Amino acid sequence: MAQSGERRGGAEEKSALVGLCLGIGDHLYCPKLPGRVEDCLAMVDLLLKWKFVVHFGVNCGLKEMKTKIRQLFATVASTPDSTLVIYYTGYVVQHLGVNYLVPADSQVQLAADIEDCCVSLTWLFAGLREVSDCTPVVLLDSAHPQPFRQTWISPSEQLPL
């Protein structure tokens, strides 16, 4: 189910080209999203051809997703002039103006669960700012319906993509 790793596309030890690719399609508590893993791995292959060091994970739970992101922080911190690409394909939700990536094991029952069960993009960007001045290129492939109960998320709170 879950798969992750780091690959180097022929890059030198301290490559300034860094990527993070996350593909979540096999959710435990939300409808499955076919093709997300394949899309993620295709992006990994593309970045490798361009000589990126790529951290990646597919069908990651919350803990593994945060581990992958922290590994990205460490790589970017050691290469201050990084060009950074972040690719995520899977569910993305917005709650109270904050956007969240939804891990494979996210079990949100109440709106209050989102902060504990999902990965905040605000957290991700704050971590990047702490370790580097680079501006990431972020690609969110999230063109699918809201995965959680509609009763507590209004249409105006959904991620406007």
Side-chain angles (χ1 to χ4, degrees):
M1 180 202 259
Q3 168 186 344
S4 66
E6 176 185 317
R7 295 185 186 160
R8 296 180 180 272
E12 296 178 20
E13 186 63 28
K14 297 266 185 186
S15 174
L17 302 173
V18 181
L20 171 66
C21 296
L22 298 169
I24 313 297
D26 192 12
H27 291 269
L28 299 175
Y29 305 103
C30 301
K32 300 205 182 318
L33 296 170
R36 301 300 154 186
V37 169
E38 295 81 2
D39 291 350
C40 177
L41 295 176
M43 181 61 79
V44 169
D45 289 342
L46 181 63
L47 292 176
L48 289 172
K49 287 179 188 174
W50 290 340
K51 310 297 185 210
F52 276 71
V53 171
V54 182
H55 299 275
F56 72 97
V58 297
N59 294 325
C60 301
L62 178 64
K63 184 176 179 181
E64 186 179 4
M65 188 182 285
K66 285 195 166 188
T67 297
K68 288 279 127 204
I69 293 168
R70 287 185 177 104
Q71 290 170 350
L72 174 73
F73 293 163
T75 301
V76 171
S78 69
T79 53
D81 296 325
S82 299
T83 297
L84 177 59
V85 173
I86 298 172
Y87 175 76
Y88 173 83
T89 180
Y91 287 116
V92 178
V93 296
Q94 185 180 78
H95 180 61
L96 300 175
V98 178
N99 298 315
Y100 295 88
L101 309 178
V102 180
D105 61 354
S106 180
Q107 187 175 13
V108 174
Q109 299 295 318
L110 304 169
D113 294 336
I114 289 180
E115 289 182 22
D116 295 331
C117 298
C118 299
V119 176
S120 161
L121 284 177
T122 302
W123 172 79
L124 189 154
F125 293 139
L128 284 174
R129 278 193 303 276
E130 285 186 35
V131 299
S132 175
D133 291 332
C134 75
T135 301
V137 174
V138 179
L139 306 167
L140 298 177
D141 179 3
S142 180
H144 12 75
Q146 166 50 260
F148 305 122
R149 292 186 342 185
Q150 294 292 327
T151 57
W152 49 262
I153 296 183
S154 70
S156 64
E157 288 183 308
Q158 293 183 24
L159 181 63
L161 295 178

